Amino acid sequence: MDSDFMYPAIPPCQLEADEPIIDSNGNQIATLTDYWKWAHSDLLGNTERGILAEYIVRLALEIKDDRLSWNKYDLLYNKNIRIEVKSSAYIQTWGQKTLSKISFSISPSYGWDYENNTYENVKKRQSDIYIFCLLNCKNQELIQPTDLSQWRFFVISTKELDKYSPKAKSISLSALRNLPIVECDFSDLKNVVDNIEI
């Protein structure tokens, strides 16, 4: 890390659910659980569903590292495999006339080095593997993002995505299925990732 930074990057750490939120007099007025329930319960919404998808992949791959929300890839597996996690769903939290069309972002980016606070000069995809997570339920009455049986996972190496298109910003599910992906459920995801050629 660059020792010239007066304020270096702060590594994340997991907090306890009963961590107090205190007022200016030091009185507890809530806990982190209260905040988490208020802020992060909409698991069908695009933002929270995306973070949940990352967590589900983390569980499947038994990754112990804390989430680094500003890193150039989402997860690091076996200390050297960089993983990008994307999510999509047919059902949204807003009113819908039809089910959502499934597509995933695959935009190349300028990688940011958080330790040195610099961007790379070349725009590219930053991971070795993409895992596309589809909340597959099409019934509004039954959909439950915490039920892992409702998810499907599509795994592909970044080099195969780059062959498809090095500059594409998104990909539809139908286009994805024409590529050499491996589709699986939660229980098979670790085995699929362990065997994918990067």
Side-chain angles (χ1 to χ4, degrees), residues 9-147:
I10 301 171
C13 63
Q14 293 191 23
L15 301 172
E16 297 299 323
D18 59 357
E19 182 96 13
I21 297 173
I22 58 175
D23 64 17
S24 56
N25 296 317
N27 300 312
Q28 179 173 325
I29 57 172
T31 66
L32 274 183
T33 294
D34 299 320
Y35 163 69
W36 288 334
K37 288 194 294 187
W38 175 81
H40 302 290
S41 289
D42 181 13
L43 298 179
L44 279 177
N46 290 342
T47 301
E48 298 305 322
R49 188 187 66 239
I51 297 170
L52 175 62
E54 288 179 33
Y55 183 69
I56 291 170
V57 172
R58 178 183 182 262
L59 290 175
L61 301 183
E62 301 171 2
I63 295 171
K64 303 302 181 192
D65 296 338
D66 290 327
R67 182 171 185 261
L68 210 57
S69 60
W70 22 259
N71 211 349
K72 56 188 172 183
Y73 49 84
D74 293 323
L75 298 168
L76 187 64
Y77 180 53
N78 283 348
K79 299 187 179 177
N80 64 345
I81 300 173
R82 300 164 299 167
I83 297 175
E84 187 71 18
V85 178
K86 299 296 181 184
S87 79
S88 193
Y90 293 103
I91 301 288
Q92 311 296 333
T93 51
W94 55 82
Q96 296 174 258
K97 292 183 178 178
T98 62
L99 295 173
S100 291
K101 289 186 171 138
I102 302 303
S103 69
F104 301 93
S105 170
I106 55 171
S107 289
S109 64
Y110 293 105
W112 183 54
D113 183 336
Y114 70 89
E115 291 185 336
N116 296 310
N117 202 28
T118 58
Y119 283 95
E120 295 176 346
N121 296 323
V122 178
K123 202 173 200 182
K124 63 180 183 178
R125 297 189 175 105
Q126 304 294 327
S127 64
D128 301 303
I129 293 173
Y130 272 71
I131 300 178
F132 299 100
C133 308
L134 173 61
L135 185 54
N136 200 35
C137 182
K138 298 178 182 178
N139 185 323
Q140 204 174 40
E141 301 301 316
L142 298 177
I143 194 165
Q144 179 50 261
T146 55
D147 178 355

Side-chain angles (χ1 to χ4, degrees), residues 148-174:
L148 298 185
S149 71
Q150 294 187 9
W151 289 84
R152 296 298 292 167
F153 303 90
F154 305 85
V155 184
I156 190 169
S157 69
T158 301
K159 71 179 180 183
E160 292 294 343
L161 269 186
D162 287 341
K163 284 182 194 174
Y164 162 74
S165 174
K167 296 182 180 178
K169 294 181 179 178
S170 64
I171 189 168
S172 67
L173 182 58
S174 58

